């Protein structure tokens, strides 16, 4: 415990400027952040959104005030400044490869079946169908494109690829994934990440019905009957110690047990799967 850094005594001047403005323009974001562990550790807006001038998506936000380069996207590379172990585990996971859907037959099928209803941009002059954007990219992720003028000046993120919190999103800094896919901004609640619904926003439907299977199982029934006994906001949340009523998706796939620590590679504990013709551990 002695090796853990104490939080700084106050927020940075840059973050104070962010808060002063965003309290007027987007109060809910400030309130969510104010209820987070980041707030209590004095980790503010600028600490997460700051960018190097040479970053491809860096821009000066409100030059009359902040006069600092920031980025809209907070990528896993940014999160690794504080959460290196978690990011390393995630980058090694199957989740982080979700963006490979872009070059797959599934992606092509969605585009063709939907009739290629175009959102025409400079990045995708051939058009992109709503089925691909909503049915594939929002869960799997896509490559986030940047708009620039003829002189190469940054104009913002391409609307055809952003907003996107897909688990395998390919970020402008070449990192893969989005931590906010599971830890929704700006509270980044670990309690929310432990709920089955958090996984169910992607793992549902006819082609991957894990959420429906869970809710119809004894595990899911027990969870719903005993939500108030699950102690979901416990810092350590160890099965058998902090709760015993039911397991959630996180319990089996990544959360701590008496013998194992938390692991952000959600496929690490899967020994077999039904997708390949021959399943190899």
């Amino acid at each position: 415990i002695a090796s853990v850094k104490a939080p700084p005594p106050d927020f940075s001047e840059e973050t104070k400027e962010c808060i002063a403005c965003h309290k007027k323009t987007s109060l809910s974001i400030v309130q969510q952040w104010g209820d987070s562990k980041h707030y209590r550790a004095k980790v503010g807006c600028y600490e997460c959104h700051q960018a190097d001038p040479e970053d491809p998506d860096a821009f000066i936000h409100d030059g009359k005030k902040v006069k600092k380069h920031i980025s809209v996207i907070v990528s896993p590379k940014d999160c690794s400044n504080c959460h290196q172990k978690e990011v390393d585990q995630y980058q090694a996971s199957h989740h982080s490869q979700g963006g490979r859907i872009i070059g797959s037959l599934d992606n092509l099928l969605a585009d063709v079946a939907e009739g290629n209803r175009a959102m025409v941009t400079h990045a995708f002059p051939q058009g992109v169908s709503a089925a691909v954007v909503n049915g594939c990219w929002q869960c799997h992720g896509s490559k986030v494109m940047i708009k620039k003028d003829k002189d190469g000046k940054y104009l913002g993120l391409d609307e055809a690829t952003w907003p996107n919190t897909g688990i395998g999103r390919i970020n402008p800094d070449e990192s893969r994934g989005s931590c906010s896919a599971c830890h929704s901004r700006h509270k980044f609640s670990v309690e929310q990440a432990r709920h089955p619904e958090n996984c169910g926003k992607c793992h549902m439907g006819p082609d991957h019905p894990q959420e429906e299977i869970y809710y119809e199982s004894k595990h899911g029934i027990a969870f719903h009957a005993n939500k108030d006994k699950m102690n979901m906001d416990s810092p350590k949340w160890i099965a058998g110690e902090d709760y015993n009523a039911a397991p959630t998706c996180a319990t089996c796939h990544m959360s701590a047990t008496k013998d194992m620590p938390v692991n952000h590679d959600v496929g690490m504990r899967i020994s077999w799967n039904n997708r390949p013709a021959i399943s190899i551990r």
Side-chain angles (χ1 to χ4, degrees), residues 16-36:
K16 288 179 180 178
E17 291 188 20
C18 297
I19 296 169
C21 185
H22 280 277
K23 274 186 175 180
K24 302 173 184 177
T25 61
S26 46
L27 179 59
S28 61
I29 289 176
V30 177
Q31 290 175 323
Q32 291 167 1
W33 167 73
D35 197 30
S36 71

Side-chain angles (χ1 to χ4, degrees), residues 174-243:
E174 300 301 324
S175 64
R176 300 185 306 274
S178 167
C179 301
S180 62
C182 300
H183 297 282
S184 297
R185 57 185 185 270
H186 281 87
K187 186 177 179 181
F188 305 104
S189 167
V190 69
E191 178 182 359
Q192 177 182 321
R194 291 165 176 164
H195 272 264
E197 291 87 350
N198 198 55
C199 305
K201 71 180 186 289
C202 289
H203 291 277
M204 49 81 73
D207 50 345
H208 29 56
Q210 290 88 353
E211 182 185 38
E212 293 95 324
I213 292 169
Y214 173 80
Y215 285 143
E216 293 172 4
S217 73
K218 289 291 186 181
H219 287 168
I221 292 167
F223 171 75
H224 274 287
N226 296 281
K227 277 186 178 181
D228 59 333
K229 302 180 181 69
M230 290 294 293
N231 203 16
M232 302 286 278
D233 60 350
S234 170
K236 59 187 181 71
W237 205 59
I238 293 177
E241 293 182 6
D242 300 295
Y243 65 102

Side-chain angles (χ1 to χ4, degrees), residues 23-276:
K23 274 186 175 180
K24 302 173 184 177
T25 61
S26 46
L27 179 59
S28 61
I29 289 176
V30 177
Q31 290 175 323
Q32 291 167 1
W33 167 73
D35 197 30
S36 71
K37 287 186 176 181
H38 281 167
Y39 175 87
R40 297 193 290 277
K42 301 297 188 295
V43 176
C45 318
Y46 184 70
E47 283 64 50
C48 294
H49 285 278
Q50 64 181 304
D52 293 326
E54 62 269 19
D55 288 347
D57 58 338
F59 67 99
I60 296 178
H61 179 50
D62 197 352
K64 294 180 181 179
K65 296 180 181 179
V66 179
K67 295 183 180 179
K68 297 284 185 180
H69 283 86
I70 69 163
S71 171
V72 171
I73 296 176
V74 179
S75 73
K77 184 177 180 180
D78 298 319
C79 296
S80 71
N81 289 324
C82 294
H83 302 282
Q84 185 67 60
K85 181 178 72 173
E86 290 81 0
V87 170
D88 286 346
Q89 291 171 346
Y90 185 84
Q91 294 297 303
S93 74
H94 193 61
H95 264 178
S96 74
Q97 305 299 326
R100 291 179 178 178
I101 188 77
I102 297 172
S104 74
L105 292 177
D106 293 326
N107 188 76
L108 177 63
L109 176 62
D111 200 22
V112 172
E114 187 69 8
N116 200 24
R117 289 191 289 128
M119 295 193 306
V120 180
T121 68
H122 78 282
F124 298 97
Q126 76 279 9
V128 180
S129 79
V132 168
V133 174
N134 296 323
C136 300
W137 292 4
Q138 292 305 317
C139 284
H140 283 266
S142 67
K143 184 175 178 62
V144 179
M145 307 296 288
I146 296 170
K147 295 192 297 185
K148 295 182 179 181
D149 64 15
K150 61 181 180 180
D151 297 320
K153 182 181 178 181
Y154 174 84
L155 297 177
L157 301 175
D158 196 298
E159 296 87 351
T161 61
W162 181 263
N164 186 302
T165 56
I167 56 169
R169 185 182 71 198
I170 303 170
N171 300 295
D173 62 10
E174 300 301 324
S175 64
R176 300 185 306 274
S178 167
C179 301
S180 62
C182 300
H183 297 282
S184 297
R185 57 185 185 270
H186 281 87
K187 186 177 179 181
F188 305 104
S189 167
V190 69
E191 178 182 359
Q192 177 182 321
R194 291 165 176 164
H195 272 264
E197 291 87 350
N198 198 55
C199 305
K201 71 180 186 289
C202 289
H203 291 277
M204 49 81 73
D207 50 345
H208 29 56
Q210 290 88 353
E211 182 185 38
E212 293 95 324
I213 292 169
Y214 173 80
Y215 285 143
E216 293 172 4
S217 73
K218 289 291 186 181
H219 287 168
I221 292 167
F223 171 75
H224 274 287
N226 296 281
K227 277 186 178 181
D228 59 333
K229 302 180 181 69
M230 290 294 293
N231 203 16
M232 302 286 278
D233 60 350
S234 170
K236 59 187 181 71
W237 205 59
I238 293 177
E241 293 182 6
D242 300 295
Y243 65 102
N244 55 39
T248 70
C249 313
T251 299
C252 298
H253 287 281
M254 61 184 299
S255 294
T257 71
K258 295 176 182 178
D259 304 315
M260 292 187 294
V262 174
N263 194 315
H264 279 70
D265 183 344
V266 297
M268 180 63 70
R269 300 177 190 173
I270 299 175
S271 293
W272 312 100
N273 70 83
N274 294 327
R275 193 173 184 96

